[in-house]
Amino acid sequence: MNPVAPVAADPILLDTITRLFGDTCSHEVVQAAESEGWAPTVWAPFAETGAPWIAVPEGAGGSGGTLADAVGVLRLVGRYAAPVPAAETGLLGGWLAAAAGFDLPAGPLTVVPGRSEDDLVLDGSNLSGAAHRVPWAARADLVLALVDGRIVAVDPNGPGVEIVPVRNAAGEPRETVLFRGASARVADAPAGVDASALRRRGALARGALIVGALDRVGEVTVGYANERQQFGQRIARFQAVAQHLVRLVSEIQLVSMALDAATAAATVGDAAFEIASLKVLAGDAGSEVVARAHQSHGAIGMTQEYVLHQLTRRVFAWREEFGSTAFWREELGRLVGDAGADRLYPLISQGSAALA
Amino acid sequence: MAGSSFEYTVLTPSEEALRDEVREFLRTELPPGSYEPDLGMSATHSPEFSKKMAARGWVGMSVPRRYGGPERTAVDRFIVVEEMLRSGAPVGAHWVADRQTAPTIMKFGTDAQRERFLPAIAAGECYFSIGMSEPDAGSDLAAVRTTATRGDGGWFLNGTKIWTSGAHQNHWFIVLCRTSASEGDKHEGLSQLIVDLHAPGIEINPIPFLDGTHHFNEVVMTDVFVPDELVLGEIGRGWQQVNSELAYERAGPDRWLSVYACFEHLLRERVHGTPGARTAEVIGGITARFFALRNLSLSVSRTIDRGGAPAVEAAIVKDLGTMFEQDMIAALHDLWGAEPSLDAPTTGERMLARAVLTGPSFTLRGGTNEILRTIASRGLLGWYGLAGAR
């Protein structure tokens, strides 16, 4: 009936991952990963910590830990633009594998996000059809998908699978995977594991990545405006620039709050209201924050040499995934309309708990 | 990571009980359809309603028990204000006294002033206006020209205050004035006096608001005598005191709930069953922002209760909130608005017409958002560990 209290991520874990990405995700490494499609020098030490499998139960081969831990790690992945399939391996793929009772392979996992243009068909244990925008498919040990209420897992390097290279706006692999009667492991999806649940978890994960990237956009922009001198003084001293800084930092605070509320709600329930709100605000903040960050920087922000683009292009890419901003706005509006005017304020103040 | 004090928080069971109590009170006292809802804090002046709220301990909530108040927390006040404003309740009479006068008198007032005003405020019987702006002192508040000159046992006030909401209905206002000439720094030499709006020498002239309503006044003071016992705080410390007072008014639900009741009424009037795509998109976009803003605003109250001083956070909530209110008016009007009409047949449409007309004031009242951002920008440096960069 009432919303749940905040849940904090493990500070030691966050500290470890912060240092790890700080050491491994240099500007050059992130840049190189975009052309090569993979960054072994990031994935290997990241996998070593077990962090990719956080929130996947230990009994299922995962690292255990809470949803808040996983969200905290994803926020850092976003902050450092770390080129690793963290969400796909844990919150999404690991979740599906655990629900199906499949053993986890040693390497990364990926998932079929489930887009309207997909046409996957399961015939016994053979999978056919096309899956679109599958993250890092060529690098994954296993591709997991939901097909007709069943969880299926296919080795993307096995026979009957072709991978067509496609990248998102940030140069991250989002391949088209063509299955031609590929051999699949199949299990019935338990209650609560379906296409909408996958989309919600995906949206929460993308929300966390976006907030992480925006955290750093704020830091970089405020820092730059306090160093860069024009007309004989720091540009942050000009009111016009100061307005940009306050507005962009404000939007970051807003979406960051939405992430914390969504994480708390998703720990105990489906968090349909909170996650939809998060993805809407992350998309809106993407426009507002990115525009003001670039405007504050001037031309340097538009170059490959400077860090800003590694963050802003990822925000542009991630906000389209697992439901666009417009998709989630509409989804949320229907939820509110169905709940009715009498439950509007309970929803705003209590979130999904008001629907329970 | 940014070092703001925003932290997600939820209501405790006893706070939830308070919220339920307020909702029950509103169901009894203001049943739907029995009143025309107001747009947030620019609410109807109803001493009767204020006294009913006071009887529940919901006016002057911060006032300590020894001064006749309920001594409640900032979060408790948040809850009461939230429920009142979202219902468009007539909270106009006690609004300023509750939000900023009571905490200001508690902080800077003498014991005699506290004894005199705080019990009356908490009883819902003593109403205040704000005496800051002047014809030549708007955003540049330190430019006030109202002067107080020393007399026998007190001060003689001369000058003009402007945009004084409710001066024609309220009992007192706290006047920011110059008590000594400024030599160099104009922030020096300012003081605050508590002034009886019915004192000899006070002339109150209405300034009609653009929609024809009467909130604003010009208050002309000619040799108004203010006894020494009504000097608030220290002579010469007016600037510091006024800034502290302004901080109280920034982050509350009044900065993002002004148009909520309009939204709810239009939803009830216009949406039956699952909305179509365009309607759903607008509703979804508004609701998401309400949800996150409320959490930011609540978090500021929680921080205050923990002894923090979230000044930048409060400025950010006011900026985000008031801009959201205006964006929301535009979105609702775009989606549902016919020509705005104060005589429209439904509550939601009449409220939307009032919102369209008066919405531009939302980012002005209490200080323009542009000035607010300039102040907030200085605080950002500390958040990002750049405090030395200035």
Side-chain angles (χ1 to χ4, degrees):
Chain A
M1 187 58 206
N2 287 301
V4 287
V7 277
D10 175 3
I12 296 170
L13 168 72
L14 297 187
D15 193 50
T16 304
I17 302 303
T18 300
R19 276 188 279 111
L20 188 151
F21 286 150
D23 291 343
T24 56
C25 294
S26 68
H27 188 82
E28 295 70 26
V29 166
V30 173
Q31 216 51 38
E34 289 188 19
S35 43
E36 289 155 28
W38 192 237
T41 58
V42 184
W43 174 260
F46 182 51
E48 187 80 11
T49 65
W53 296 274
I54 280 174
V56 180
E58 288 181 71
S63 301
T66 65
L67 183 77
D69 291 335
V71 166
V73 168
L74 288 175
R75 190 165 171 165
L76 292 170
V77 170
R79 177 181 176 78
Y80 289 94
V84 287
E88 289 71 17
T89 300
L91 271 190
L92 307 176
W95 170 67
L96 282 180
F102 298 158
D103 292 336
L104 290 184
L109 305 178
T110 193
V111 291
V112 174
R115 297 171 62 98
S116 56
E117 62 269 36
D118 291 354
D119 56 0
L120 297 183
V121 180
L122 190 61
D123 179 12
S125 63
N126 295 311
L127 185 66
S128 297
H132 297 85
R133 315 294 296 185
V134 184
W136 283 284
R139 301 289 172 169
D141 281 3
L142 217 49
V143 178
L144 289 119
L146 279 164
V147 185
D148 300 331
R150 319 199 76 191
I151 301 170
V152 304
V154 176
D155 176 359
N157 304 303
V161 182
E162 184 191 343
I163 297 175
V164 183
V166 181
R167 294 186 305 160
N168 67 14
E172 296 176 317
R174 295 292 187 265
E175 291 114 334
T176 303
V177 185
L178 305 170
F179 300 96
R180 298 194 182 89
S183 162
R185 292 194 62 184
V186 180
D188 286 335
V193 178
D194 56 23
S196 3
L198 174 63
R199 189 182 296 117
R200 274 196 302 275
R201 288 177 83 88
L204 175 63
R206 289 299 182 263
L209 291 171
I210 291 172
V211 171
L214 294 177
D215 282 338
R216 183 113 168 272
V217 167
E219 192 177 299
V220 165
T221 307
V222 173
Y224 179 83
N226 278 287
E227 272 176 30
R228 170 76 171 165
Q229 304 238 345
Q230 289 286 273
F231 304 100
Q233 56 180 323
R234 295 185 181 100
I235 62 169
R237 292 221 171 177
F238 293 103
Q239 290 194 3
V241 178
Q243 305 268 322
H244 283 313
L245 299 182
V246 171
R247 288 285 301 113
L248 78 85
V249 170
S250 299
E251 292 291 330
I252 296 169
Q253 301 300 317
L254 192 72
V255 64
S256 166
M257 179 59 80
L259 174 63
D260 291 345
T263 305
T267 300
V268 295
D270 72 5
F273 175 84
E274 290 85 354
I275 291 174
S277 296
L278 165 65
K279 196 65 170 29
V280 167
L281 294 166
D284 288 345
S287 311
E288 184 79 26
V289 174
V290 168
R292 291 181 186 274
H294 277 291
Q295 189 68 18
S296 302
H297 273 90
I300 186 71
M302 300 304 293
T303 66
Q304 283 214 333
E305 287 104 75
Y306 188 76
V307 65
L308 191 61
H309 78 99
Q310 290 185 340
L311 303 162
T312 57
R313 283 184 302 116
R314 277 167 180 75
V315 171
F316 287 147
W318 293 335
R319 68 180 179 174
E320 302 303 328
E321 298 179 344
F322 294 96
S324 67
T325 313
F327 170 90
W328 282 109
R329 238 187 244 125
E330 203 181 313
E331 188 81 357
L332 184 59
R334 275 199 297 265
L335 188 157
V336 170
D338 287 341
D342 289 341
R343 282 200 286 181
L344 176 62
Y345 209 78
L347 264 176
I348 288 169
S349 56
Q350 288 145 265
S352 299
L355 298 174
Chain B
M1 230 162 275
S4 81
S5 72
F6 286 124
E7 196 179 322
Y8 176 60
T9 183
V10 296
L11 302 186
T12 64
S14 66
E15 289 164 350
E16 280 164 0
L18 171 63
R19 179 196 62 204
D20 294 343
E21 194 191 333
V22 180
R23 287 183 181 174
E24 187 52 43
F25 170 87
L26 284 166
R27 266 192 291 275
T28 311
E29 295 298 332
L30 289 180
S34 70
Y35 67 108
E36 182 79 357
D38 290 315
L39 289 174
M41 67 172 132
S42 51
T44 303
H45 180 96
S46 168
E48 187 198 352
F49 191 78
S50 292
K51 284 172 199 161
K52 279 183 183 168
M53 279 182 64
R56 299 293 191 109
W58 299 337
V59 178
M61 289 183 73
S62 63
V63 173
R65 288 182 200 281
R66 67 180 184 281
Y67 297 112
E71 198 168 331
R72 304 295 288 254
T73 63
V75 171
D76 286 345
R77 180 177 180 273
F78 176 100
I79 291 163
V80 170
V81 168
E82 174 183 37
E83 293 298 325
M84 292 295 157
L85 294 182
R86 78 164 175 104
S87 307
V91 293
H94 67 266
W95 182 255
V96 167
D98 170 77
R99 183 183 66 186
Q100 66 195 86
T101 312
T104 299
I105 290 178
M106 192 56 217
K107 187 166 181 186
F108 298 111
T110 61
D111 219 42
Q113 288 168 352
R114 293 171 180 171
E115 297 279 5
R116 179 170 178 181
F117 293 107
L118 297 183
I121 288 175
E125 290 169 351
C126 179
Y127 314 135
F128 275 76
S129 291
I130 299 171
M132 294 190 195
S133 297
E134 294 186 6
D136 294 319
S139 292
D140 183 9
L141 190 58
V144 292
R145 296 198 306 201
T146 293
T147 54
T149 46
R150 195 64 203 146
D152 192 15
W155 299 81
F156 286 96
L157 261 183
N158 282 283
T160 301
K161 291 292 172 182
I162 207 164
W163 324 135
T164 315
S165 293
H168 59 302
Q169 293 162 316
N170 295 338
H171 305 111
W172 300 86
F173 72 153
I174 298 181
V175 172
L176 179 69
C177 60
R178 186 155 286 292
T179 40
S180 61
S182 70
E183 288 164 18
D185 189 351
K186 68 182 174 184
H187 302 101
E188 304 292 324
L190 296 172
S191 303
Q192 284 186 301
L193 306 181
I194 304 171
V195 179
D196 183 349
L197 281 162
H198 300 91
I202 295 266
E203 184 189 324
I204 297 171
N205 304 310
I207 305 174
F209 208 52
L210 48 66
D211 63 349
T213 57
H214 180 193
H215 296 283
F216 276 174
N217 299 280
E218 173 196 62
V219 182
V220 182
M221 297 160 284
T222 311
D223 292 327
V224 176
F225 180 70
V226 183
D228 282 333
E229 64 261 31
L230 289 179
V231 171
L232 180 66
E234 269 180 67
I235 289 292
R237 296 282 295 170
W239 181 253
Q240 291 76 5
Q241 291 173 200
V242 121
N243 275 295
S244 160
E245 181 178 344
L246 286 170
Y248 293 122
E249 66 153 8
R250 280 182 183 147
D254 38 322
R255 301 305 178 178
W256 46 273
L257 273 177
S258 307
V259 200
Y260 170 78
C262 171
F263 179 43
E264 187 188 302
H265 276 275
L266 285 171
L267 193 64
R268 190 172 286 113
E269 291 165 14
R270 301 284 180 107
V271 177
H272 307 285
T274 306
R278 180 166 138 63
T279 303
E281 264 213 59
V282 173
I283 295 173
I286 291 172
T287 308
R289 214 152 250 265
F290 259 129
F291 166 66
L293 260 169
R294 177 187 176 276
N295 277 310
L296 283 187
S297 180
L298 174 62
S299 137
V300 170
S301 296
R302 188 70 83 197
T303 302
I304 290 170
D305 285 338
R306 288 174 179 159
V312 179
E313 288 83 350
I316 279 177
V317 170
K318 184 176 172 188
D319 187 31
L320 281 171
T322 52
M323 280 196 309
F324 164 59
E325 292 180 329
Q326 291 178 342
D327 290 346
M328 182 175 155
I329 294 167
L332 291 175
H333 177 250
D334 205 30
L335 179 66
W336 284 323
E339 182 182 345
S341 167
L342 298 169
D343 308 314
T346 73
T347 306
E349 290 169 39
R350 284 191 299 274
M351 291 189 83
L352 184 57
R354 278 187 276 144
V356 167
L357 290 171
T358 62
S361 69
F362 297 173
T363 47
L364 304 174
R365 53 190 181 189
T368 67
N369 288 39
E370 286 77 7
I371 294 286
L372 203 62
R373 284 180 211 138
T374 301
I375 297 169
S377 70
R378 296 172 195 144
L380 292 185
L381 299 176
W383 285 11
Y384 289 97
L386 297 166
R390 294 185 67 80

